[in-house]
Amino acid sequence: MGMSRVSYEEKLKHAKNPTAQRLLLCMLEKQTNLCASLDVGKISEVLSISEQIGSDVCMVKIHADALSDVSIDALLTLQELSEKNNFLIFEDRKFADIGSTVRMQYAEGPYRIVEWSDITNAHILPGPGIIEGLSEVGMPHHRGLLLLAEMSSHGALMDEQYRKTAYEWAEKYSEFVIGFIGKGRTEAPQYLIMCTPGIHLEALSDGLGQQYQSPIDAIAAGTDVIIVGRGIYGSGSAQTASRHYREIGWDAYTQAMRG
Ligand code: 5BU
């Protein structure tokens, strides 16, 4: 509030983490702050939609454990596609265990997330050991982590004190932590990246606790990256919708920088 907004260029200059640098550079080059959340049930669908919308997004977010036909091979194909189309991959894993367990879940298990996902995220509930465990795996691969400061869903337990703790730990571990999942509040460390899910142009909720805000409101409230799922793949044409959200998101950002 009252403080001037930090541009993507400024964030890029201050970013210590290579994935944060790649994301910000990609956003600036492609002029997009749109992340598509492709919760479409099959990795084959994720691949075909990613190909259609690749030029409009800076990031594709998935839940690998919610894709029925998932395989490491297909995830590596998504990685190739992301390199070809210049976007990043975000596995929305929401780690929530002790450091030694998340280290295994991140590196091994059926998904080997660290091998193909540029960005993943974690709850801070278990304490800072979760960040340390993930960073042991992620840092050698030059990956980046987002901390959940807030959730979009109704009744979420993250209060102001919880958010402040997320912000403090992010600064403490800022070699690895690139930013947050939140609603776009501006008291977060200014040089880190704020990503906001629960974005839709028409819907207000989904009947299961999701609470939507418009991309314009989220960006006006300080977010850097808008995350859109059903607003894109639930519409008639993912391509038309992603183009639309991309234009609205980028216009809102340039307007916020002017104002
Ligand atoms: P939607 O279709 O735009 O509602 O999808 C939102 C996506 O973002 C979905 O994958 C959720 O798991 C994810 N999400 C969220 O909606 N809210 C949150 O606070 C977090 C993640 Br963290």
Side-chain angles (χ1 to χ4, degrees):
M1 302 288 134
M3 255 210 292
S4 71
R5 188 188 178 109
V6 175
S7 68
Y8 299 146
E9 285 93 344
E10 283 295 310
K11 291 193 192 217
L12 174 58
K13 271 187 218 152
H14 283 79
K16 296 183 206 160
N17 175 290
T19 294
Q21 292 167 357
R22 279 174 52 222
L23 176 60
L24 290 160
L25 198 61
C26 164
M27 292 165 69
L28 287 162
E29 277 174 10
K30 293 171 74 174
Q31 303 210 329
T32 176
N33 49 28
L34 176 63
C35 167
S37 176
L38 299 182
D39 306 312
V40 290
K42 292 192 154 191
I43 186 76
S44 47
E45 272 285 287
V46 170
L47 293 172
S48 74
I49 299 176
S50 295
E51 205 131 31
Q52 292 165 34
I53 66 170
S55 60
D56 287 311
V57 299
C58 61
M59 190 149 74
V60 165
K61 182 177 89 57
I62 61 169
H63 291 282
D65 61 0
L67 301 170
S68 59
D69 57 346
V70 76
S71 66
I72 300 280
D73 272 357
L75 291 163
L76 293 174
T77 304
L78 177 62
Q79 187 185 41
E80 276 167 30
L81 218 153
S82 79
E83 279 163 14
K84 202 175 77 193
N85 290 278
N86 189 22
F87 62 77
L88 281 79
I89 304 172
F90 170 14
E91 162 60 25
D92 190 359
R93 174 61 179 75
K94 299 186 186 73
F95 289 102
D97 213 321
I98 61 169
S100 104
T101 300
V102 296
R103 203 171 53 185
M104 292 170 71
Q105 291 171 320
Y106 189 20
E108 295 158 35
Y111 305 120
R112 308 207 306 253
I113 294 165
V114 75
E115 291 182 19
W116 49 267
S117 188
D118 302 290
I119 294 170
T120 190
N121 55 356
H123 287 288
I124 60 161
L125 202 62
I130 188 169
I131 306 173
E132 290 167 11
L134 292 170
S135 91
E136 280 187 16
V137 174
M139 287 286 281
H141 283 83
H142 312 292
R143 302 306 193 197
L145 183 71
L146 296 168
L147 298 181
L148 280 93
E150 235 176 330
M151 290 190 72
S152 60
S153 42
H154 175 73
L157 298 176
M158 292 102 150
D159 60 9
E160 197 184 336
Q161 191 51 51
Y162 190 96
R163 280 199 296 280
K164 281 193 179 142
T165 305
Y167 300 154
E168 277 166 29
W169 293 359
E171 295 217 274
K172 179 160 180 227
Y173 296 96
S174 65
E175 306 270 314
F176 185 48
V177 177
I178 68 170
F180 310 96
I181 300 285
K183 291 184 183 170
R185 306 269 155 89
T186 45
E187 74 269 26
Q190 295 288 301
Y191 291 105
L192 295 177
I193 302 166
M194 178 65 76
C195 303
T196 303
I199 303 280
H200 203 292
L201 277 165
E202 288 111 32
L204 292 176
S205 61
D206 69 352
L208 281 175
Q210 177 68 297
Q211 306 176 113
Y212 289 116
Q213 58 176 325
S214 83
I216 295 168
D217 289 349
I219 287 169
T223 203
D224 296 304
V225 176
I226 50 170
I227 301 175
V228 183
R230 283 163 283 186
I232 290 177
Y233 68 80
S235 73
S237 156
Q239 209 163 15
T240 307
S242 58
R243 206 157 293 164
H244 192 44
Y245 277 96
R246 178 243 187 104
E247 274 165 20
I248 288 174
W250 195 259
D251 283 353
Y253 167 71
T254 51
Q255 199 142 333
M257 288 314 299
R258 279 198 297 268

